[in-house]
Amino acid sequence: MKSLILLFCTIAFLHAGIFDFLDVSKAKKSYESKDYKSAIRSYKKLEGKQGAAYDLANSYYKNKQYKQALEEYQKVTDKSLEFKKLHNMGNTYAHLGKIDDAIKSYENALKIKKDKDTQYNLDLLKKQKKKQQKKKKKQQQNNKKQNNKNQNNSKQNNKNNKNNKNNQNKNNKEKKQNKDNRQNKNDQQNKDQQKSQNRDKKKSPPAPKKQNKKETKGSIKKAPPISDMEERKYKNMLDNRGINTLMLPIKSKGDDNHEENPW
């Protein structure tokens, strides 16, 4: 019975080993032919097997799936693969733009083994970092200059606005002053003209007053009546000239109103 169980276990192990071998062979073949998607599918079937995580991580890296590659590299625990893992992790961090992490991975890899490629990558990233820092510093200086320039422009604009406002107020004040001066001048001219008219009015003689008809009639004096002696003289003068003239009798104040005196 025990030999039967042992036989079944041996068959199962051999069967599993055969399938693992076929998957590894297929995965390696896909990887070498640069069919990285197929390699990823094959290596996933070998998850948990020695070296499978490292090969799967390399397949992700070659397929430019850097985040998945980094996750798989971090699962590798085989000490014999530590240097390769750290070197490849440095490459992966570099592609993800994590320069500091990449530099740290390269430095840790060089502690295990000296390698020209790893050292070259490390020096290259350090130069790149220095260049980035220099560029960043220059950008900060430019930003500072630009900010100072903007502040100066803002101050100048405020100063110009203030000057413009003062000039506007000054112009408005001058306009108002000119308007007041014109008004005062017009008022003075009107006063002078009024004074002149008043002086002319005083110099000219007063216009004669109109008399009403009643006053005019009452103011006319009648000539005094001719005396009897004057009347006789005037009649004799007319008779001597040969003029026959009918003289109407002139009433005296003391004469009776009904008495007639023929000539």
Side-chain angles (χ1 to χ4, degrees):
M1 184 68 180
K2 288 182 180 179
S3 2
L4 185 61
I5 294 173
L6 182 61
L7 178 63
F8 276 116
C9 289
T10 303
I11 293 171
F13 177 78
L14 291 173
H15 184 269
I18 292 171
F19 278 102
D20 289 346
F21 175 78
L22 292 176
D23 288 334
V24 170
S25 178
K26 184 178 179 181
K28 285 184 177 181
K29 186 177 180 180
S30 297
Y31 186 89
E32 289 172 355
S33 63
K34 298 182 181 181
D35 185 5
Y36 301 117
K37 289 183 179 180
S38 296
I40 290 170
R41 287 194 294 268
S42 298
Y43 280 124
K44 277 187 174 181
K45 293 178 182 179
L46 299 170
E47 189 174 2
K49 302 296 180 179
Q50 185 70 18
Y54 178 76
D55 291 333
L56 177 60
N58 287 341
S59 298
Y60 275 126
Y61 179 85
K62 289 293 186 179
N63 201 45
K64 298 181 180 181
Q65 294 176 260
Y66 301 115
K67 289 183 178 180
Q68 292 86 339
L70 186 62
E71 290 176 1
E72 294 301 324
Y73 281 130
Q74 291 171 341
K75 293 178 183 178
V76 176
T77 59
D78 190 350
K79 294 298 180 181
S80 64
L81 298 173
E82 187 69 13
F83 170 79
K84 290 182 178 180
K85 179 186 80 170
L86 291 172
H87 176 89
N88 291 347
M89 284 180 66
N91 293 343
T92 306
Y93 278 126
H95 281 291
L96 291 172
K98 299 180 178 181
I99 304 300
D100 291 336
D101 291 332
I103 290 174
K104 187 176 181 180
S105 292
Y106 289 138
E107 289 175 343
N108 290 334
L110 289 171
K111 289 177 182 179
I112 298 173
K113 184 177 74 171
K114 299 297 180 182
D115 181 75
K116 291 182 179 180
D117 292 337
T118 306
Q119 186 65 52
Y120 177 83
N121 291 349
L122 176 61
D123 294 339
L124 182 65
L125 286 186
K126 284 183 176 181
K127 289 180 181 178
Q128 185 176 353
K129 182 180 179 180
K130 189 175 181 180
K131 187 177 180 180
Q132 287 179 349
Q133 288 175 342
K134 187 176 180 181
K135 184 178 180 180
K136 185 178 180 180
K137 186 177 180 180
K138 186 177 180 180
Q139 185 64 38
Q140 288 175 346
Q141 290 175 348
N142 291 335
N143 291 338
K144 188 176 180 180
K145 288 180 180 179
Q146 187 63 37
N147 290 334
N148 292 334
K149 185 178 180 181
N150 292 337
Q151 289 178 357
N152 292 333
N153 290 337
S154 179
K155 289 179 180 178
Q156 185 63 36
N157 290 335
N158 292 335
K159 185 177 180 180
N160 292 336
N161 291 335
K162 187 176 180 179
N163 291 335
N164 291 335
K165 187 175 181 180
N166 291 335
N167 291 334
Q168 185 65 33
N169 292 335
K170 184 178 180 181
N171 291 335
N172 292 336
K173 188 175 180 180
E174 289 178 354
K175 287 180 180 179
K176 186 176 183 302
Q177 185 64 36
N178 292 334
K179 184 178 180 180
D180 293 341
N181 291 338
R182 287 195 299 269
Q183 184 64 39
N184 292 336
K185 186 176 180 181
N186 292 335
D187 293 343
Q188 188 62 38
Q189 288 177 349
N190 292 334
K191 288 180 180 179
D192 294 341
Q193 186 177 3
Q194 187 65 35
K195 288 180 180 180
S196 178
Q197 290 177 355
N198 292 337
R199 284 196 299 269
D200 294 341
K201 188 181 291 186
K202 289 180 180 180
K203 290 179 180 180
S204 60
K209 294 183 179 180
K210 292 184 179 180
Q211 296 179 349
N212 53 33
K213 293 182 180 180
K214 292 182 180 181
E215 291 178 351
T216 304
K217 289 181 181 180
S219 62
I220 298 174
K221 294 182 180 181
K222 295 182 178 180
I226 303 173
S227 64
D228 293 341
M229 184 176 67
E230 290 176 348
E231 186 177 353
R232 285 192 296 272
K233 288 181 180 181
Y234 185 66
K235 185 176 179 301
N236 291 332
M237 181 185 69
L238 293 176
D239 289 339
N240 292 333
R241 293 176 58 187
I243 298 174
N244 296 320
T245 301
L246 179 63
M247 295 293 293
L248 294 176
I250 304 300
K251 294 180 180 179
S252 301
K253 292 182 180 180
D255 293 340
D256 185 28
N257 290 337
H258 301 286
E259 185 179 357
E260 296 181 359
N261 293 325
W263 297 102

